[in-house]
Amino acid sequence: MDRTSAILACGVTAFLCGAIRNQTRQTLEAGGVTVLPWLTGSETQVLDGYMRHALDDLAMPGTRV
């Protein structure tokens, strides 16, 4: 819970990640954070995909963003 609280306290509005626990996701979303899970790629690739609104290209197999 400490990391989740820190994320919320920092004013994060979007959280891009690979895997995430349901409880953590629910807590972040309840705090107003948009969670975009199941992404794969390097930090640069993910941030570039986010900026270009092209995260579907980075979704893990069998998932959608």
Side-chain angles (χ1 to χ4, degrees), residues 3-56:
R3 290 181 190 165
T4 305
S5 297
I7 290 167
L8 294 171
C10 288
V12 171
T13 58
F15 189 78
L16 297 89
C17 59
I20 187 170
R21 291 179 51 210
N22 284 334
Q23 180 180 3
T24 303
R25 181 178 184 171
Q26 291 169 353
T27 301
L28 290 172
E29 290 176 337
V33 177
T34 300
V35 178
L36 302 167
W38 310 117
L39 300 173
T40 186
S42 69
E43 291 175 26
T44 302
Q45 290 171 316
V46 172
L47 289 174
D48 182 59
Y50 179 75
M51 297 302 291
R52 294 184 300 109
H53 303 282
L55 288 176
D56 286 335

